[in-house]
Amino acid sequence: GENVEQHPSTLSVQEGDSAVIKCTYSDSASNYFPWYKQELGKRPQLIIDIRSNVGEKKDQRIAVTLNKTAKHFSLHITETQPEDSAVYFCAASIGQAGTALIFGKGTTLSVSS
Amino acid sequence: GAVVSQHPSWVICKSGTSVKIECRSLDFQATTMFWYRQFPKQSLMLMATSNEGSKATYEQGVEKDKFLINHASLTLSTLTVTSAHPEDSSFYICSARPSGGVGYTFGSGTRLTVV
């Protein structure tokens, strides 16, 4: 079945720096890759997603890149702010989008001012 | 936007009792819902896929007789934790993908504490 690896597990940056979180997946049929931000005890909040027919997507300070050949995708946050501090999860659809998502283990991002 | 309502948001029960968690899609029909469990400081682990009108598909290692899933209508899926034990204490969250949409909608989660 699908397996999603996420690194690093923790990431500390200074305000204004960039943060990069990387994920790899195993199922070559996966075609939907969302990134979520989760606050303690709350539901995951979608911050950006990408489908397999696109290599890169950007939304203001947040971008996601996808390398289907290597089966990895990355989250890039530029000009980090303290409010970006949270737990971030990558996920991949099991095969086609519409099936369940498999999540990475999460990255705790700390942005210090 | 698509909304999934999940209840209760938290519940405390005694060991040996059963607890039912409901997820309703409020403005779309959800033929499929997904149930996840999240232990503290861990990721969301897929427990089962709930299909309207048919049996749920459980992930390896998830006891189907302990975690009963019913998806009797296009807008409601329920997860019943039977004979709950303290190790079942966790954050349970459901998800659905509106047909025609791309993203997934999550319920607000249920914090279950078994004492």
Side-chain angles (χ1 to χ4, degrees), chain A residues 1 4 19 23 33 69 73 88:
Chain A
V4 178
C23 286
F33 309 92
T69 303
F73 56 113
Y88 292 82

Side-chain angles (χ1 to χ4, degrees), chain B residues 17-21 66-67 79-84 88 92 112:
Chain B
T17 62
S18 296
V19 172
K20 180 185 284 188
I21 301 169
K66 180 170 182 62
F67 298 99
L79 168 68
T80 301
V81 183
T82 62
S83 186
D88 297 324
Y92 293 85
L112 170 63

Side-chain angles (χ1 to χ4, degrees), chain A residues 38 43 98-101 103-104, chain B residues 34 36 38 43 102 104 106-108:
Chain A
Q38 188 183 30
R43 76 187 86 195
T99 58
L101 295 175
F103 287 79
Chain B
F34 310 103
Y36 293 87
Q38 186 176 30
S43 185
V102 177
Y104 293 70
F106 286 84
S108 54

Side-chain angles (χ1 to χ4, degrees), chain A residues 32 34 36 38 40-46 49 51 89-90 93-94 96-106, chain B residues 3-4 32 34 36 38 41-46 49 59 91 93 95 97 101-109 111:
Chain A
Y32 178 66
Y36 293 93
Q38 188 183 30
L40 193 63
K42 302 257 180 95
R43 76 187 86 195
Q45 187 179 8
L46 178 70
D49 58 7
R51 296 189 69 110
F89 292 98
C90 64
S93 59
I94 302 176
Q96 300 293 308
T99 58
L101 295 175
I102 299 299
F103 287 79
K105 290 190 185 300
Chain B
V3 176
V4 171
T32 302
F34 310 103
Y36 293 87
Q38 186 176 30
K41 297 187 178 182
Q42 293 189 23
S43 185
L44 285 80
M45 299 298 296
L46 179 66
T49 299
E59 295 301 300
F91 188 60
I93 190 164
S95 175
R97 179 174 175 268
V102 177
Y104 293 70
T105 298
F106 286 84
S108 54
R111 171 71 58 194

